[in-house]
Amino acid sequence: MEWDDHDARSADAKIIPLAQLALGLVLLAAWEIIGRTTGGLWTSQPSSIIVRLIKLAGGDLYWHTLITTSEMAIGLAIGASLGTVVGLILGYSSVLGIVLRPIVVVLYNIPLITLVPLFIFWFGFGMLPKVVLVSIAVFFIVFFNTFTGATKVDREMLQSVQTMGANPGEQFRKIYFPACLAWISAGVKIALPYSLGAAIVGEMLASRNGLGSLLSSSAAQFDMTGVYAVLFILMVLGMVLADLAVRLETFLLRWRHAAG
Protein backbone atom coordinates (compact mmCIF):
# COMPACT_ATOMS: atom_id res chain seq x y z
CA MET A 1 0.00 0.00 0.00
CA GLU A 2 2.86 2.39 0.85
CA TRP A 3 4.40 1.80 -2.57
CA ASP A 4 1.02 2.36 -4.23
CA ASP A 5 0.62 5.70 -2.42
CA HIS A 6 4.13 6.69 -3.43
CA ASP A 7 3.49 5.77 -7.06
CA ALA A 8 0.21 7.69 -7.01
CA ARG A 9 1.93 10.80 -5.67
CA SER A 10 4.67 10.49 -8.28
CA ALA A 11 2.09 10.15 -11.02
CA ASP A 12 0.22 13.21 -9.73
CA ALA A 13 3.49 15.18 -9.64
CA LYS A 14 3.98 14.42 -13.36
CA ILE A 15 0.38 14.81 -14.48
CA ILE A 16 -0.41 18.12 -12.74
CA PRO A 17 2.26 20.22 -14.55
CA LEU A 18 1.21 18.67 -17.88
CA ALA A 19 -2.44 19.45 -17.15
CA GLN A 20 -1.54 23.03 -16.23
CA LEU A 21 0.49 23.42 -19.44
CA ALA A 22 -2.35 21.98 -21.52
CA LEU A 23 -4.86 24.35 -19.90
CA GLY A 24 -2.58 27.31 -20.57
CA LEU A 25 -2.19 26.35 -24.23
CA VAL A 26 -5.96 25.93 -24.61
CA LEU A 27 -6.59 29.38 -23.10
CA LEU A 28 -3.97 30.96 -25.37
CA ALA A 29 -5.49 29.26 -28.42
CA ALA A 30 -8.96 30.47 -27.44
CA TRP A 31 -7.59 33.99 -26.92
CA GLU A 32 -5.95 33.88 -30.39
CA ILE A 33 -9.17 32.71 -32.02
CA ILE A 34 -11.27 35.39 -30.30
CA GLY A 35 -8.73 38.06 -31.25
CA ARG A 36 -8.68 37.05 -34.90
CA THR A 37 -12.47 36.71 -35.03
CA THR A 38 -13.25 40.07 -33.43
CA GLY A 39 -10.35 42.00 -34.94
CA GLY A 40 -8.57 42.22 -31.60
CA LEU A 41 -9.47 45.85 -30.95
CA TRP A 42 -9.92 45.29 -27.21
CA THR A 43 -8.51 41.82 -26.71
CA SER A 44 -5.50 41.83 -29.06
CA GLN A 45 -4.07 38.33 -29.55
CA PRO A 46 -1.06 36.35 -28.26
CA SER A 47 0.74 36.32 -31.64
CA SER A 48 0.57 40.13 -31.88
CA ILE A 49 1.74 40.48 -28.29
CA ILE A 50 4.76 38.25 -28.97
CA VAL A 51 5.68 40.37 -31.98
CA ARG A 52 5.35 43.53 -29.88
CA LEU A 53 7.51 42.05 -27.12
CA ILE A 54 10.23 41.25 -29.67
CA LYS A 55 9.99 44.80 -30.99
CA LEU A 56 10.23 46.25 -27.47
CA ALA A 57 13.19 44.02 -26.66
CA GLY A 58 14.99 45.43 -29.69
CA GLY A 59 14.29 48.98 -28.55
CA ASP A 60 14.49 50.75 -25.20
CA LEU A 61 12.71 48.13 -23.08
CA TYR A 62 15.84 47.49 -21.04
CA TRP A 63 16.16 51.17 -20.24
CA HIS A 64 12.55 51.43 -19.04
CA THR A 65 12.92 48.23 -17.02
CA LEU A 66 16.13 49.55 -15.47
CA ILE A 67 14.38 52.77 -14.45
CA THR A 68 11.50 50.90 -12.79
CA THR A 69 13.71 48.36 -11.00
CA SER A 70 16.07 51.13 -9.83
CA GLU A 71 13.15 53.05 -8.31
CA MET A 72 12.00 49.85 -6.63
CA ALA A 73 15.42 48.90 -5.29
CA ILE A 74 16.24 52.33 -3.87
CA GLY A 75 12.77 52.83 -2.42
CA LEU A 76 12.75 49.32 -0.97
CA ALA A 77 16.13 49.81 0.69
CA ILE A 78 15.10 53.15 2.22
CA GLY A 79 11.59 52.12 3.25
CA ALA A 80 12.59 48.74 4.68
CA SER A 81 15.48 50.24 6.66
CA LEU A 82 13.37 53.03 8.14
CA GLY A 83 10.44 50.70 8.80
CA THR A 84 12.68 48.24 10.61
CA VAL A 85 14.43 50.87 12.74
CA VAL A 86 11.25 52.75 13.68
CA GLY A 87 9.36 49.51 14.33
CA LEU A 88 12.08 48.18 16.61
CA ILE A 89 12.35 51.45 18.56
CA LEU A 90 8.61 51.92 19.05
CA GLY A 91 8.13 48.24 19.83
CA TYR A 92 10.93 48.20 22.39
CA SER A 93 9.89 51.41 24.15
CA SER A 94 6.33 51.10 25.39
CA VAL A 95 6.14 54.86 26.01
CA LEU A 96 7.23 55.79 22.50
CA GLY A 97 4.96 53.11 21.08
CA ILE A 98 1.91 54.49 22.86
CA VAL A 99 2.71 58.09 21.89
CA LEU A 100 3.86 57.71 18.27
CA ARG A 101 2.07 54.64 16.90
CA PRO A 102 -1.31 56.46 16.53
CA ILE A 103 0.46 59.14 14.44
CA VAL A 104 1.89 56.45 12.13
CA VAL A 105 -1.55 54.86 11.82
CA VAL A 106 -3.11 58.21 10.87
CA LEU A 107 -0.45 58.77 8.19
CA TYR A 108 -0.95 55.22 6.92
CA ASN A 109 -4.65 55.90 6.33
CA ILE A 110 -3.86 58.63 3.80
CA PRO A 111 -4.33 57.08 0.30
CA LEU A 112 -0.85 56.89 -1.15
CA ILE A 113 -1.90 57.81 -4.67
CA THR A 114 -3.22 61.18 -3.45
CA LEU A 115 0.30 62.15 -2.41
CA VAL A 116 1.70 61.89 -5.95
CA PRO A 117 0.81 65.50 -6.95
CA LEU A 118 2.43 66.73 -3.74
CA PHE A 119 5.61 64.76 -4.45
CA ILE A 120 5.70 66.10 -7.99
CA PHE A 121 5.39 69.64 -6.64
CA TRP A 122 8.20 69.02 -4.15
CA PHE A 123 10.58 66.83 -6.15
CA GLY A 124 9.74 67.41 -9.83
CA PHE A 125 9.18 64.80 -12.54
CA GLY A 126 12.40 62.80 -12.18
CA MET A 127 13.07 59.56 -10.37
CA LEU A 128 12.93 61.04 -6.86
CA PRO A 129 9.12 61.28 -6.42
CA LYS A 130 8.74 57.62 -7.46
CA VAL A 131 11.47 56.58 -5.03
CA VAL A 132 9.71 58.47 -2.24
CA LEU A 133 6.41 56.83 -3.17
CA VAL A 134 7.95 53.35 -3.06
CA SER A 135 9.76 54.15 0.21
CA ILE A 136 6.54 55.19 1.93
CA ALA A 137 4.62 52.14 0.68
CA VAL A 138 7.36 49.80 1.89
CA PHE A 139 7.91 51.68 5.16
CA PHE A 140 4.40 51.13 6.51
CA ILE A 141 4.33 47.42 5.65
CA VAL A 142 7.72 46.72 7.23
CA PHE A 143 7.01 49.02 10.19
CA PHE A 144 3.76 47.34 11.22
CA ASN A 145 5.28 43.87 10.86
CA THR A 146 8.39 44.83 12.82
CA PHE A 147 6.38 46.65 15.50
CA THR A 148 4.12 43.62 15.98
CA GLY A 149 7.13 41.32 16.26
CA ALA A 150 8.85 43.67 18.71
CA THR A 151 5.83 43.76 21.00
CA LYS A 152 5.75 39.95 21.08
CA VAL A 153 9.33 39.52 22.28
CA ASP A 154 9.43 37.60 25.56
CA ARG A 155 10.04 40.32 28.17
CA GLU A 156 10.79 37.74 30.85
CA MET A 157 13.63 36.38 28.73
CA LEU A 158 15.00 39.89 28.31
CA GLN A 159 14.84 40.40 32.07
CA SER A 160 16.55 37.05 32.61
CA VAL A 161 19.55 37.88 30.41
CA GLN A 162 19.64 41.32 31.98
CA THR A 163 19.97 39.82 35.47
CA MET A 164 22.74 37.61 34.08
CA GLY A 165 24.71 40.76 33.27
CA ALA A 166 23.92 41.29 29.59
CA ASN A 167 24.15 44.92 28.55
CA PRO A 168 21.48 46.53 26.31
CA GLY A 169 23.56 45.90 23.17
CA GLU A 170 23.90 42.19 23.96
CA GLN A 171 20.20 41.95 24.76
CA PHE A 172 19.40 43.48 21.38
CA ARG A 173 21.79 41.26 19.40
CA LYS A 174 21.07 37.96 21.15
CA ILE A 175 17.37 38.16 22.03
CA TYR A 176 15.49 41.16 20.69
CA PHE A 177 16.62 41.35 17.05
CA PRO A 178 16.62 37.56 16.36
CA ALA A 179 13.08 37.36 17.76
CA CYS A 180 11.96 40.13 15.40
CA LEU A 181 13.85 38.91 12.34
CA ALA A 182 11.11 36.57 11.14
CA TRP A 183 8.60 39.43 11.32
CA ILE A 184 10.97 41.79 9.50
CA SER A 185 11.66 39.29 6.69
CA ALA A 186 7.92 38.63 6.32
CA GLY A 187 7.33 42.38 6.04
CA VAL A 188 9.98 42.74 3.34
CA LYS A 189 8.53 39.74 1.51
CA ILE A 190 5.07 41.32 1.52
CA ALA A 191 6.47 44.74 0.58
CA LEU A 192 8.29 43.56 -2.57
CA PRO A 193 5.23 43.39 -4.88
CA TYR A 194 3.89 46.60 -3.33
CA SER A 195 7.14 48.34 -4.25
CA LEU A 196 6.57 47.36 -7.88
CA GLY A 197 2.99 48.61 -7.76
CA ALA A 198 4.01 51.93 -6.21
CA ALA A 199 6.71 52.49 -8.83
CA ILE A 200 4.31 51.71 -11.68
CA VAL A 201 1.59 54.01 -10.30
CA GLY A 202 4.09 56.84 -9.90
CA GLU A 203 5.37 56.36 -13.45
CA MET A 204 1.85 56.24 -14.89
CA LEU A 205 0.94 59.53 -13.27
CA ALA A 206 4.15 61.48 -13.74
CA SER A 207 6.96 60.06 -15.83
CA ARG A 208 8.25 59.68 -19.36
CA ASN A 209 10.41 56.71 -18.46
CA GLY A 210 9.79 53.33 -16.89
CA LEU A 211 7.36 50.49 -17.51
CA GLY A 212 4.52 52.51 -16.01
CA SER A 213 5.01 55.24 -18.62
CA LEU A 214 4.96 52.60 -21.38
CA LEU A 215 1.70 51.23 -19.99
CA SER A 216 0.17 54.69 -19.67
CA SER A 217 1.16 55.79 -23.18
CA SER A 218 -0.17 52.55 -24.72
CA ALA A 219 -3.48 52.95 -22.90
CA ALA A 220 -3.75 56.60 -23.99
CA GLN A 221 -3.43 55.49 -27.62
CA PHE A 222 -5.88 52.58 -27.16
CA ASP A 223 -3.01 50.29 -28.13
CA MET A 224 -4.22 47.11 -26.44
CA THR A 225 -1.35 45.05 -27.83
CA GLY A 226 1.09 47.41 -26.16
CA VAL A 227 -0.90 47.31 -22.92
CA TYR A 228 -0.91 43.51 -22.81
CA ALA A 229 2.78 43.39 -23.72
CA VAL A 230 3.72 45.63 -20.80
CA LEU A 231 1.39 43.71 -18.49
CA PHE A 232 3.15 40.50 -19.50
CA ILE A 233 6.51 42.07 -18.67
CA LEU A 234 5.16 43.19 -15.29
CA MET A 235 3.81 39.69 -14.65
CA VAL A 236 7.24 38.18 -15.32
CA LEU A 237 8.89 40.83 -13.14
CA GLY A 238 6.39 40.07 -10.37
CA MET A 239 7.19 36.35 -10.57
CA VAL A 240 10.91 37.14 -10.32
CA LEU A 241 10.23 39.33 -7.28
CA ALA A 242 8.19 36.56 -5.64
CA ASP A 243 11.09 34.14 -6.12
CA LEU A 244 13.56 36.71 -4.77
CA ALA A 245 11.31 37.25 -1.74
CA VAL A 246 11.37 33.54 -0.91
CA ARG A 247 15.16 33.40 -1.35
CA LEU A 248 15.61 36.51 0.80
CA GLU A 249 13.46 35.08 3.57
CA THR A 250 15.41 31.81 3.44
CA PHE A 251 18.70 33.72 3.64
CA LEU A 252 17.63 35.93 6.55
CA LEU A 253 16.28 32.96 8.50
CA ARG A 254 19.05 30.50 7.60
CA TRP A 255 20.02 30.26 11.27
CA ARG A 256 16.68 28.59 11.98
CA HIS A 257 17.41 25.82 9.48
CA ALA A 258 20.90 25.44 10.94
CA ALA A 259 19.45 25.18 14.45
CA GLY A 260 16.91 22.62 13.27
Side-chain angles (χ1 to χ4, degrees):
M1 179 63 71
E2 292 182 359
W3 284 102
D4 291 341
D5 292 341
H6 176 73
D7 292 341
R9 287 194 297 267
S10 299
D12 290 341
K14 295 177 181 178
I15 292 174
I16 291 175
L18 293 175
Q20 292 172 333
L21 177 61
L23 177 61
L25 292 175
V26 169
L27 292 176
L28 287 174
W31 185 2
E32 182 74 21
I33 293 171
I34 292 173
R36 290 180 180 274
T37 302
T38 62
L41 178 62
W42 300 109
T43 61
S44 187
Q45 51 204 49
S47 58
S48 300
I49 295 170
I50 292 172
V51 172
R52 180 63 60 86
L53 287 170
I54 294 172
K55 182 179 179 181
L56 287 173
D60 53 2
L61 175 62
Y62 299 105
W63 169 250
H64 289 293
T65 304
L66 178 62
I67 293 294
T68 300
T69 53
S70 298
E71 293 165 353
M72 286 176 49
I74 298 171
L76 184 67
I78 295 172
S81 299
L82 291 176
T84 299
V85 171
V86 176
L88 289 173
I89 293 175
L90 268 61
Y92 183 77
S93 173
S94 57
V95 175
L96 288 176
I98 293 173
V99 173
L100 298 179
R101 186 178 181 277
I103 298 176
V104 178
V105 172
V106 169
L107 294 175
Y108 174 69
N109 287 323
I110 300 176
L112 193 58
I113 194 172
T114 62
L115 298 177
V116 174
L118 189 62
F119 294 156
I120 295 173
F121 180 77
W122 286 347
F123 307 118
F125 287 90
M127 182 183 290
L128 186 55
K130 272 76 77 177
V131 170
V132 173
L133 196 68
V134 174
S135 300
I136 294 175
V138 171
F139 168 82
F140 285 113
I141 296 173
V142 176
F143 165 78
F144 284 116
N145 257 56
T146 304
F147 180 84
T148 301
T151 57
K152 294 183 179 296
V153 175
D154 192 340
R155 302 293 172 174
E156 293 183 359
M157 183 179 295
L158 286 173
Q159 293 175 357
S160 298
V161 297
Q162 186 176 7
T163 56
M164 295 171 61
N167 58 46
E170 292 173 333
Q171 295 175 41
F172 179 84
R173 291 195 309 272
K174 298 182 180 299
I175 303 296
Y176 191 69
F177 185 71
C180 297
L181 192 56
W183 292 87
I184 296 170
S185 62
V188 174
K189 182 179 179 180
I190 296 170
L192 270 171
Y194 281 91
S195 67
L196 175 60
I200 295 300
V201 168
E203 290 171 350
M204 290 179 67
L205 295 177
S207 182
R208 295 179 180 177
N209 297 297
L211 296 175
S213 68
L214 284 181
L215 184 63
S216 179
S217 61
S218 296
Q221 299 170 23
F222 297 97
D223 178 10
M224 299 310 296
T225 300
V227 170
Y228 287 122
V230 177
L231 289 176
F232 177 80
I233 296 168
L234 292 176
M235 180 186 69
V236 173
L237 187 56
M239 292 171 62
V240 172
L241 287 176
D243 182 67
L244 287 176
V246 173
R247 292 176 183 272
L248 178 63
E249 186 176 37
T250 303
F251 173 77
L252 292 175
L253 300 179
R254 62 191 183 281
W255 55 273
R256 282 188 167 185
H257 301 289

